[in-house]
Amino acid sequence: MSTPTLLDASCILAWAFGEPGADKVEAVLPVAYITAVNLTEVVHALE
């Protein structure tokens, strides 16, 4: 089992837009957490 990972908005946005490092983010998504503040920032950026 992988170690849980806390992601910030920049990680999620890099993954969503296929930016460098997206593959590393995708690898940890099954065990990732994000705070409500960072999730709000992601939703706002994707609107």
Side-chain angles (χ1 to χ4, degrees), residues 9-42:
S10 64
C11 295
I12 300 297
L13 292 171
W15 171 79
F17 293 121
E19 295 176 357
D23 56 331
K24 294 179 179 159
V25 175
E26 188 164 346
V28 299
L29 282 178
V31 294
Y33 293 91
I34 187 169
T35 65
V37 171
N38 281 298
L39 181 57
T40 300
E41 185 177 341
V42 170

